[in-house]
Amino acid sequence: MEQQKKNFKNYRTIKRLEISKMSSLIEAMNDEVNKKEKTLLISSYIVLVYAYWESSFHKFQQLMLDSYKNIPIKSLPFNLKNNLLLTLAKISVGGNGKKIINEVKQMSIFEGIIKITQENEELCIEEIFIKYHDRITRKDLDKHFIIETANPNLDRASELLKTYSIKLERIIKEGKEIEKIKPYFDEGLDFIIKQRNSIAHKNEKISYKDNEYEEYDLCMKDLIKDIANGTNTLERPEFFINEMTFQIDSFFDIMVDYLEKNIEGLKK
């Protein structure tokens, strides 16, 4: 896990530094471009930061899967354990899987479910896959540890973490308390995601709180006024977007810390 953690951190650092060059570029060209060209540059910057968020989200999911896949089923958080035991039960019942309980006439079916769950609860999913590779795919097991999404946001992150009995709200709250992420992190990320979706769906409207703007400068002033107490250093669009890149990186640092604590707790 240590090497995977290091790889994840290195990936985020390299990508963040690459993306952050956009901020310097836009700042340097600020007096040389017209409003339409500036809007295009900012839109491109938003798309890059969103891609950074999305790729980091999926890599974090994979890190979670890799971290939990060698833990015995019986030691996993309840939701994971329950889902994996149900998958084993489906292996046991075979063609009877689509029947409701009162349609099952053989007691041996229920005995088989009890047997397969009890005899395998000491195994991890890697061992389960090896044992039942002729009746189950790796995807059948992995799907319980990750969520399929092409447009991740904090709601989907919360959904993912619930599977591991982790509360996202608590992570964000504590992250803000220890000042690892800014008070406006969640609202700032929500803006980045919604604005990227607007760009991607060819709507291309600059909007905030149902208000439309002709340029990002005016939009950002209202945004920062609401979520960051009018912090002057963020009023330029490129400064705010650059800061959100750092915030996303810090957010996943906190997520990895929580992951480590949870893994250690399960091993005790």
Side-chain angles (χ1 to χ4, degrees), residues 222-239:
D222 287 346
L223 172 70
I224 299 305
K225 181 180 179 181
D226 286 348
I227 71 174
N229 298 318
T231 306
N232 292 332
T233 56
L234 297 179
E235 281 192 359
R236 290 269 292 271
E238 60 270 29
F239 297 163

Side-chain angles (χ1 to χ4, degrees), residues 3-200:
Q3 186 58 49
Q4 290 164 304
K5 272 175 47 189
K6 184 178 179 181
N7 291 344
F8 183 41
K9 179 62 178 175
N10 288 343
Y11 167 82
R12 297 196 327 269
T13 300
I14 292 169
K15 287 296 180 183
R16 175 173 55 77
L17 292 173
E18 289 177 353
I19 294 168
S20 293
K21 291 177 182 177
M22 276 290 288
S23 181
S24 300
L25 175 65
I26 294 170
E27 184 180 2
M29 297 177 64
N30 201 52
D31 296 328
E32 301 175 17
V33 295
N34 58 39
K35 288 183 179 180
K36 187 175 182 179
E37 291 169 334
K38 174 77 176 288
T39 296
L40 181 60
L41 285 170
I42 295 297
S43 294
S44 299
Y45 197 5
I46 288 172
V47 171
L48 285 173
V49 174
Y50 171 82
Y52 178 60
W53 155 257
E54 181 184 23
S55 61
S56 296
F57 178 89
H58 290 304
K59 286 182 181 297
F60 177 73
Q61 283 203 105
Q62 187 61 47
L63 179 62
M64 292 195 83
L65 168 60
D66 292 341
S67 300
Y68 279 82
K69 68 183 180 182
N70 292 312
I71 295 176
I73 291 177
K74 71 172 187 178
S75 299
L76 290 171
F78 175 80
N79 289 333
L80 278 174
K81 177 171 65 176
N82 187 54
N83 289 335
L84 288 167
L85 290 178
L86 285 173
T87 298
L88 286 172
K90 290 176 183 177
I91 293 175
S92 173
V93 299
N96 292 289
K98 294 184 179 180
K99 293 181 179 180
I100 59 176
I101 290 179
N102 61 6
E103 291 177 339
V104 179
K105 305 303 181 183
Q106 301 90 1
M107 187 62 188
S108 60
I109 299 297
F110 298 103
E111 291 172 345
I113 292 173
I114 295 171
K115 181 175 183 295
I116 197 171
T117 53
Q118 289 183 342
E119 72 181 17
N120 289 299
E121 63 178 4
E122 297 279 353
L123 303 182
C124 64
I125 65 165
E126 287 296 292
E127 294 166 323
I128 293 292
F129 175 69
I130 293 171
K131 185 175 181 179
Y132 297 104
H133 68 275
D134 57 333
R135 285 184 277 172
I136 196 170
T137 65
R138 189 171 294 278
K139 188 175 181 180
D140 291 329
L141 298 171
D142 290 356
K143 70 180 182 182
H144 300 304
F145 294 80
I146 60 177
I147 60 171
E148 296 289 340
T149 177
N151 192 13
N153 54 28
L154 288 178
D155 287 338
R156 300 312 303 273
S158 179
E159 180 184 338
L160 168 69
L161 294 180
K162 281 179 182 177
T163 304
Y164 296 84
S165 300
I166 301 173
K167 292 184 178 180
L168 177 64
E169 295 80 4
R170 180 180 175 185
I171 293 177
I172 292 178
K173 181 175 181 291
E174 292 185 6
K176 291 177 180 179
E177 288 174 350
I178 61 176
E179 298 184 347
K180 276 203 166 184
I181 52 175
K182 300 290 186 181
Y184 53 81
F185 165 73
D186 33 356
E187 293 171 292
L189 180 61
D190 184 62
F191 175 81
I192 293 289
I193 293 172
K194 287 180 177 177
Q195 194 56 47
R196 173 267 175 189
N197 290 342
S198 176
I199 296 165

